[in-house]
Amino acid sequence: MKFYSLNNPEHHVSFKEAVINGIAPDRGLYFPEQIQSLPAAFFEEIESLSDQEIAYSAMLQFVGDTIPPEKLREIVHQMLDFDFPLVTLEENIAVLELFHGPTMAFKDVGARFMAYCLGYFSEGNREEVTVLVATSGDTGGAVANGFLGVKGVQVVILYPSGKVSEIQEKQLTTLGQNITALEVTGTFDDCQQMVKKAFLDKEIRKHRKLTSANSINVARWLPQLFYFLFAFKKAKSIGKEIVFAVPSGNFGNICAGIVAQKLGMPARHFVAATNSNDVVPHFMRTRQYQPKVAKSTISNAMDVGDPSNFVRILNLFDNDFTMLSQNFSSYSFSDKATKATMKSIYNSYGYLMDPHGAVGYLGLKKYLENCPDCYGIFLETAHPVKFLPVVEETLGFVPDIPPQIQKVMTGKKSTIQIATYDDLKAYLSKN
Ligand SMILES: *Cc1c(COP(=O)(O)O)cnc(C)c1O
């Protein structure tokens, strides 16, 4: 299987090149040339397969011959060493918990898979690869944790000083080894600008191989399709049509779900739930795609004004709006509605949601109004303690801190402070 650039169908690369480049030289996103359905028997017998077997079969065609089958098996076994529980909340509604990984964010799976792939591709290479990434919170921790100790890979994470939560800061500044945290005097946008500039800087690229670790990278994007297959395996015996609702920011996660459908997974519909950053809901109403400056909300991992993976979703439906709208809807919700939902779900069921999960629940409820007999699954993308201040303010108490978070809180923060692009360049040039 090859990948091509969405800006130029003539530009083809292998999975390995797509992972190492991150984005095509023409700035296009990489996209699979074709997606072959898995055999019908795979879905008929999915209950008898382990999560690792499911992941291996689903990933095989994308990886092609760039990773030997035994190695791919080893990778999925190592990365999937935690659970993905499907918890029933109401009749016909369940929550798929994606926060049982090492940093309690759903990004753990993609970050780990990418780290293992890049580690494998760097074996025997004399030249190190540097993963350069800007984070507004959760990405940094998941990437730091996934890449910790991977040989041949240096990780440099930029984050805005004072603008990430205490837990998030600890997760990305206390690990050491091949992980360096650059604490930037500025905003997340400043961090992102600096990273973009570094990627285009020939002087830096002359002596450093740089790649990115956001959901644009196919090795971070595609493994997210596992979640949908794992949930299908658990919900299949209910015998109803399944609807997935995904709290969406850059739309990588939901786009991977649609890839699972392309692989042959029966799913009736996908709902992308957003906060007030409503570029996609607006597009679905008007067919006008109008990027905006991102607004700050309480579900801040979804504060995105120009979702990078939406173009991949359009391509999965051959840019046909009718096909798209038969399979995909998108709704936007305010912070006020999100908080009210966190409260009412806690009061009714004793279930603690983070603000992102609550947005997903709202999206699902809205779609199910028209399909009361569907079975709805919404994705809970982070543990509530990752967004402690909002959860505490909304529910009026501090939830228990799980052991993997407690452990990181005792670590010692170590960062390098930078303020300008020249500081970043100096760091990348001398280390
Ligand atoms: C990144 C993130 C999202 C958004 O995921 P996309 O794939 O960018 O749509 C949602 N919730 C949480 C907690 C996240 O960290």
Side-chain angles (χ1 to χ4, degrees), residues 43 72 105 120-121 178 205 220 318 360-361 378 420:
F43 293 101
L72 182 60
Y120 174 73
F121 295 145
N178 58 331
R205 300 206 76 137
R220 249 204 69 194
D318 297 329
Y361 173 86
F378 70 98
T420 63

mmCIF file of all heavy atoms in Angstrom, residues 43 72 105 120-121 178 205 220 318 360-361 378 420:
data_model
loop_
_atom_site.group_PDB
_atom_site.id
_atom_site.type_symbol
_atom_site.label_atom_id
_atom_site.label_comp_id
_atom_site.label_asym_id
_atom_site.label_seq_id
_atom_site.Cartn_x
_atom_site.Cartn_y
_atom_site.Cartn_z
ATOM 1 N N PHE A 43 -15.506 -9.822 10.564
ATOM 2 C CA PHE A 43 -16.540 -9.160 11.376
ATOM 3 C C PHE A 43 -17.524 -10.170 11.971
ATOM 4 O O PHE A 43 -18.035 -9.980 13.067
ATOM 5 C CB PHE A 43 -17.255 -8.088 10.547
ATOM 6 C CG PHE A 43 -16.328 -6.955 10.201
ATOM 7 C CD1 PHE A 43 -15.745 -6.861 8.940
ATOM 8 C CD2 PHE A 43 -15.980 -6.013 11.158
ATOM 9 C CE1 PHE A 43 -14.861 -5.843 8.631
ATOM 10 C CE2 PHE A 43 -15.095 -4.986 10.859
ATOM 11 C CZ PHE A 43 -14.531 -4.901 9.593
ATOM 12 N N LEU A 72 5.199 -6.227 13.407
ATOM 13 C CA LEU A 72 3.921 -5.531 13.601
ATOM 14 C C LEU A 72 3.129 -6.176 14.742
ATOM 15 O O LEU A 72 2.546 -5.496 15.585
ATOM 16 C CB LEU A 72 3.105 -5.532 12.303
ATOM 17 C CG LEU A 72 1.760 -4.797 12.355
ATOM 18 C CD1 LEU A 72 1.926 -3.322 12.699
ATOM 19 C CD2 LEU A 72 1.009 -4.948 11.028
ATOM 20 N N ALA A 105 -5.115 9.798 28.296
ATOM 21 C CA ALA A 105 -5.718 10.519 27.175
ATOM 22 C C ALA A 105 -5.792 9.535 26.011
ATOM 23 O O ALA A 105 -4.941 8.659 25.884
ATOM 24 C CB ALA A 105 -4.858 11.709 26.784
ATOM 25 N N TYR A 120 11.465 1.584 15.084
ATOM 26 C CA TYR A 120 11.848 0.499 14.183
ATOM 27 C C TYR A 120 12.544 1.046 12.932
ATOM 28 O O TYR A 120 13.587 0.538 12.511
ATOM 29 C CB TYR A 120 10.609 -0.324 13.786
ATOM 30 C CG TYR A 120 10.929 -1.362 12.743
ATOM 31 C CD1 TYR A 120 11.652 -2.503 13.077
ATOM 32 C CD2 TYR A 120 10.557 -1.178 11.415
ATOM 33 C CE1 TYR A 120 11.990 -3.439 12.114
ATOM 34 C CE2 TYR A 120 10.885 -2.104 10.448
ATOM 35 C CZ TYR A 120 11.603 -3.232 10.802
ATOM 36 O OH TYR A 120 11.945 -4.159 9.850
ATOM 37 N N PHE A 121 11.977 2.123 12.362
ATOM 38 C CA PHE A 121 12.571 2.681 11.140
ATOM 39 C C PHE A 121 13.953 3.295 11.405
ATOM 40 O O PHE A 121 14.752 3.426 10.494
ATOM 41 C CB PHE A 121 11.637 3.747 10.531
ATOM 42 C CG PHE A 121 10.321 3.208 10.031
ATOM 43 C CD1 PHE A 121 9.154 3.958 10.133
ATOM 44 C CD2 PHE A 121 10.240 1.942 9.457
ATOM 45 C CE1 PHE A 121 7.936 3.458 9.672
ATOM 46 C CE2 PHE A 121 9.027 1.427 8.997
ATOM 47 C CZ PHE A 121 7.876 2.195 9.110
ATOM 48 N N ASN A 178 15.336 11.036 26.553
ATOM 49 C CA ASN A 178 15.329 11.646 25.207
ATOM 50 C C ASN A 178 14.206 12.681 25.025
ATOM 51 O O ASN A 178 13.920 13.088 23.910
ATOM 52 C CB ASN A 178 15.197 10.549 24.136
ATOM 53 C CG ASN A 178 13.930 9.708 24.308
ATOM 54 O OD1 ASN A 178 13.448 9.542 25.419
ATOM 55 N ND2 ASN A 178 13.393 9.200 23.227
ATOM 56 N N ARG A 205 17.295 21.989 8.989
ATOM 57 C CA ARG A 205 17.082 20.704 8.320
ATOM 58 C C ARG A 205 18.378 20.118 7.762
ATOM 59 O O ARG A 205 18.463 18.919 7.518
ATOM 60 C CB ARG A 205 16.031 20.836 7.219
ATOM 61 C CG ARG A 205 14.693 21.287 7.779
ATOM 62 C CD ARG A 205 13.538 20.847 6.935
ATOM 63 N NE ARG A 205 13.258 19.432 7.137
ATOM 64 C CZ ARG A 205 12.031 18.922 7.261
ATOM 65 N NH1 ARG A 205 10.991 19.704 7.222
ATOM 66 N NH2 ARG A 205 11.853 17.641 7.424
ATOM 67 N N ARG A 220 0.014 8.221 13.660
ATOM 68 C CA ARG A 220 -0.789 8.620 14.822
ATOM 69 C C ARG A 220 -2.274 8.570 14.490
ATOM 70 O O ARG A 220 -3.104 8.299 15.347
ATOM 71 C CB ARG A 220 -0.418 10.038 15.277
ATOM 72 C CG ARG A 220 0.295 10.020 16.609
ATOM 73 C CD ARG A 220 0.173 11.327 17.347
ATOM 74 N NE ARG A 220 -1.175 11.592 17.813
ATOM 75 C CZ ARG A 220 -1.586 12.762 18.233
ATOM 76 N NH1 ARG A 220 -0.768 13.789 18.241
ATOM 77 N NH2 ARG A 220 -2.814 12.926 18.656
ATOM 78 N N ASP A 318 -15.305 10.396 -1.313
ATOM 79 C CA ASP A 318 -15.086 10.849 -2.698
ATOM 80 C C ASP A 318 -15.600 12.262 -2.942
ATOM 81 O O ASP A 318 -16.097 12.567 -4.033
ATOM 82 C CB ASP A 318 -15.766 9.887 -3.692
ATOM 83 C CG ASP A 318 -15.154 8.498 -3.619
ATOM 84 O OD1 ASP A 318 -13.946 8.404 -3.326
ATOM 85 O OD2 ASP A 318 -15.890 7.516 -3.826
ATOM 86 N N GLY A 360 -19.456 14.879 23.467
ATOM 87 C CA GLY A 360 -19.757 13.679 22.685
ATOM 88 C C GLY A 360 -21.136 13.120 23.027
ATOM 89 O O GLY A 360 -21.916 12.763 22.132
ATOM 90 N N TYR A 361 -21.442 13.084 24.323
ATOM 91 C CA TYR A 361 -22.758 12.601 24.764
ATOM 92 C C TYR A 361 -23.877 13.457 24.162
ATOM 93 O O TYR A 361 -24.879 12.944 23.655
ATOM 94 C CB TYR A 361 -22.805 12.637 26.299
ATOM 95 C CG TYR A 361 -24.167 12.327 26.887
ATOM 96 C CD1 TYR A 361 -24.570 11.015 27.123
ATOM 97 C CD2 TYR A 361 -25.055 13.357 27.211
ATOM 98 C CE1 TYR A 361 -25.826 10.736 27.649
ATOM 99 C CE2 TYR A 361 -26.308 13.087 27.740
ATOM 100 C CZ TYR A 361 -26.689 11.771 27.961
ATOM 101 O OH TYR A 361 -27.936 11.501 28.480
ATOM 102 N N PHE A 378 -20.729 6.813 22.638
ATOM 103 C CA PHE A 378 -19.910 8.023 22.540
ATOM 104 C C PHE A 378 -18.544 7.776 23.169
ATOM 105 O O PHE A 378 -18.391 6.945 24.055
ATOM 106 C CB PHE A 378 -20.615 9.255 23.141
ATOM 107 C CG PHE A 378 -20.753 9.256 24.635
ATOM 108 C CD1 PHE A 378 -19.848 9.948 25.438
ATOM 109 C CD2 PHE A 378 -21.795 8.579 25.260
ATOM 110 C CE1 PHE A 378 -19.975 9.960 26.831
ATOM 111 C CE2 PHE A 378 -21.937 8.580 26.648
ATOM 112 C CZ PHE A 378 -21.020 9.270 27.429
ATOM 113 N N THR A 420 11.768 33.276 21.870
ATOM 114 C CA THR A 420 11.698 33.664 20.458
ATOM 115 C C THR A 420 12.089 32.495 19.556
ATOM 116 O O THR A 420 12.637 31.493 20.018
ATOM 117 C CB THR A 420 12.707 34.799 20.160
ATOM 118 O OG1 THR A 420 14.021 34.280 20.394
ATOM 119 C CG2 THR A 420 12.455 36.007 21.048
#
